[in-house]
């Protein structure tokens, strides 16, 4: 059974940073797409940053570009989202997701690209 578990969320002040981690078990990370998504009450889940599969190119939302960095360590079956210069607009539940093994994903910002999802970690940024 594939499981994804996020950690590293919490309460941080305006301008602060957090490093979110996602531990994957039940499957070996190799070329799958990996994505980080954010959801706030009343809004749809939205992609923040992701890796496309195979070539591993990255994508960032406009709000995340220049402030967030996605990374992965396949040897440890982990993915990361380093955030910085956080604002209250970044508040939400951050969830990691991976695509099915072997899937060719070139639009990693799409929810439909992913097969497996974590339960999320709360990030709250105070003004």
């Amino acid at each position: 059974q594939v499981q994804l578990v996020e950690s590293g969320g919490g309460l941080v002040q305006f301008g602060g940073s957090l490093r979110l981690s996602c531990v994957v078990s039940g499957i070996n990370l190799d070329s799958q797409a990996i994505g980080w998504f954010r959801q706030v009450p009343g809004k749809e889940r939205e992609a923040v940053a992701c890796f496309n599969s195979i070539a591993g190119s990255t994508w960032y939302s406009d709000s995340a570009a220049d402030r967030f960095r996605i990374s992965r360590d396949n040897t440890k079956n982990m993915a990361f989202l380093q955030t910085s210069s956080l604002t209250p607009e970044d508040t939400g539940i951050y969830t990691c997701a991976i695509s099915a093994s072997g899937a060719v994903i070139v639009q990693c910002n799409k929810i439909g690209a992913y097969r497996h999802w974590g339960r999320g970690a709360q990030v709250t940024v105070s003004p």
Side-chain angles (χ1 to χ4, degrees):
Q1 181 180 1
V2 178
Q3 288 189 320
L4 287 71
V5 179
E6 302 89 345
S7 63
L11 175 64
V12 63
Q13 290 185 333
F14 183 98
S17 61
L18 287 173
R19 188 190 192 213
L20 303 179
S21 299
C22 175
V23 177
V24 181
S25 61
I27 192 171
N28 289 327
L29 278 183
D30 43 50
S31 60
Q32 297 97 331
I34 296 176
W36 284 95
F37 290 76
R38 176 177 63 232
Q39 188 163 25
V40 297
K43 293 187 177 181
E44 292 186 357
R45 181 179 287 175
E46 60 178 1
V48 174
C50 57
F51 282 104
N52 283 305
S53 68
I54 313 302
S57 58
T58 55
W59 176 93
Y60 293 90
S61 67
D62 289 342
S63 66
D66 300 326
R67 298 188 301 125
F68 294 4
R69 182 176 178 272
I70 188 172
S71 60
R72 64 194 293 169
D73 187 338
N74 288 352
T75 66
K76 297 181 178 179
N77 255 32
M78 295 184 70
F80 307 93
L81 184 68
Q82 178 67 53
T83 68
S84 63
S85 301
L86 288 165
T87 73
E89 286 68 36
D90 296 314
T91 294
I93 297 175
Y94 285 71
T95 304
C96 64
I98 62 172
S99 63
S101 296
V104 178
I105 305 298
V106 296
Q107 290 186 300
C108 62
N109 59 318
K110 304 300 184 183
I111 290 175
Y114 297 94
R115 173 74 63 82
H116 309 288
W117 293 81
R119 300 185 68 175
Q122 177 70 45
V123 171
T124 303
V125 184
S126 62

